[in-house]
């Protein structure tokens, strides 16, 4: 089974994806990690994340193990990493270079320890539209910018990252604009995606909503 969960940053995709992956014994592929890895690599090597040819080279050389290594860096999940990821993800050559890696994963999905999984939950921006248009079930998760900024700010504060709510909101708004206005694979729901607005939902309500839809699909 392939499930895709797309939507803007901090809408609740990650929590939902991990919960569904665990419940249905599916591998979880956080596709944003690929763009974060390429963006961070550019920043760490002093390169401009908007230089398309250099970013394409970094994307072509990316491996899963290199991505996992970069994910340990403190800036991988910081605003610096998020902004760099958003910039490289707007470059068509980078998206093309990372597409096969994402699509191939569903042919032989495995957990982090290498054991086979029943399928995959993709978490990203274009996984239901470009990466896996043939997915069994697609969700498009949204929440208001204020709610998302509040969640992200709480995450940063818990990790001891020094920032303000206003800064987080401004950063998310800029990323939303870049993600939805880019020419290649802009952020938008697949026509057959189920829309899920989590602004007023608890995590449990969000999971219950998705589980109901998936169980119905599995029973059919
Ligand atoms: O989900 P995230 O915040 O880790 O994603 C980081 C950036 O990567 C985000 O600004 C948009 C981009 N991205 C993308 O363009 N396509 C994906 N499938 C996943 C992420």
């Amino acid at each position: 089974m392939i499930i895709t969960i797309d939507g803007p940053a901090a809408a609740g995709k990650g929590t939902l994806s991990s919960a569904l992956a665990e419940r249905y014994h599916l591998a979880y592929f956080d596709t944003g990690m690929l763009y974060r890895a390429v963006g961070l690599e550019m920043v760490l090597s002093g390169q401009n994340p908007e230089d398309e040819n250099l970013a394409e080279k970094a994307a072509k050389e990316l491996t899963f193990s290199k991505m996992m290594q970069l994910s340990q860096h403190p800036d991988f999940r910081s605003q610096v990493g998020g902004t760099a990821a958003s910039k490289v993800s707007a470059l068509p050559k980078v998206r093309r270079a990372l597409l096969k890696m994402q699509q191939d994963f569903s042919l032989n999905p495995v957990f982090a320890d290498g054991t086979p999984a029943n399928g995959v939950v993709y978490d990203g921006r274009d996984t239901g539209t470009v990466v896996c248009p043939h997915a069994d079930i697609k969700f498009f998760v949204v929440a208001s910018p204020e709610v998302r900024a509040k969640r992200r700010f709480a995450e940063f504060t818990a990790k001891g990252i020094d920032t303000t709510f206003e800064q987080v909101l401004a950063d998310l708004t800029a990323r939303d604009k870049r993600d939805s206005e880019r020419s290649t694979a802009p952020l938008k729901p697949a026509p057959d995606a189920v829309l899920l607005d989590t602004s007023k939902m608890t995590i449990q309500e969000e999971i219950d909503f998705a589980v109901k839809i998936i169980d119905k699909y599995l029973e059919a």
Side-chain angles (χ1 to χ4, degrees):
M1 175 161 66
I2 299 175
I3 300 175
T4 60
I5 304 188
D6 293 309
K13 305 185 303 288
T15 316
L16 179 62
S17 303
S18 328
L20 296 181
E22 196 179 330
R23 187 179 180 105
Y24 297 101
H25 204 68
L26 304 168
Y28 169 35
F29 193 162
D30 174 0
T31 61
M33 287 180 73
L34 298 171
Y35 297 96
R36 283 179 185 271
V38 173
L40 184 58
E41 172 119 328
M42 301 292 289
V43 170
L44 294 180
S45 56
Q47 292 169 328
N48 175 5
E50 284 170 310
D51 184 320
E52 184 157 15
N53 289 330
L54 288 179
E56 180 193 31
K57 187 170 180 293
K60 281 186 169 166
E61 287 169 2
L62 187 68
T63 58
F64 278 108
S65 66
K66 199 163 167 190
M67 179 183 87
M68 294 316 289
Q69 205 181 318
L70 281 161
S71 73
Q72 301 305 311
H73 192 280
D75 270 331
F76 192 77
R77 296 267 167 211
S78 76
Q79 280 169 288
V80 171
T83 300
S86 176
K87 285 182 179 168
V88 298
S89 75
L91 306 171
K93 286 183 183 173
V94 170
R95 301 201 73 82
R96 216 170 303 132
L98 296 176
L99 183 59
K100 193 171 174 332
M101 209 169 160
Q102 296 173 75
Q103 292 179 325
D104 283 353
F105 189 77
S106 69
L107 303 176
N108 186 20
V110 285
F111 293 109
D113 65 1
T115 56
N118 287 343
V120 50
V121 180
Y122 283 100
D123 165 347
R125 302 292 188 287
D126 64 339
T127 66
T129 48
V130 177
V131 177
C132 260
H134 59 285
D136 298 285
I137 304 172
K138 302 176 185 178
F139 293 99
F140 194 80
V141 184
V142 296
S144 72
E146 289 71 23
V147 166
R148 292 187 288 120
K150 220 167 124 185
R151 290 176 186 161
R152 203 32 64 94
F153 179 59
E155 273 169 40
F156 284 154
T157 309
K159 283 187 198 157
I161 296 173
D162 184 26
T163 185
T164 61
F165 172 79
E166 289 70 25
Q167 182 55 50
V168 175
L169 179 60
D171 183 61
L172 274 183
T173 310
R175 277 177 59 192
D176 283 355
K177 189 165 151 53
R178 213 179 291 118
D179 293 347
S180 43
E181 289 180 358
R182 66 182 176 222
S183 57
T184 310
L187 173 67
K188 63 163 192 238
D192 51 348
V194 177
L195 291 180
L196 176 47
D197 185 341
T198 68
S199 302
K200 292 184 183 151
M201 279 182 169
T202 62
I203 291 170
Q204 196 53 52
E205 284 169 340
E206 183 184 346
I207 295 169
D208 290 347
F209 177 94
V211 163
K212 231 184 236 171
I213 289 170
I214 298 167
D215 285 350
K216 208 163 145 197
Y217 170 83
L218 290 173
E219 279 161 19

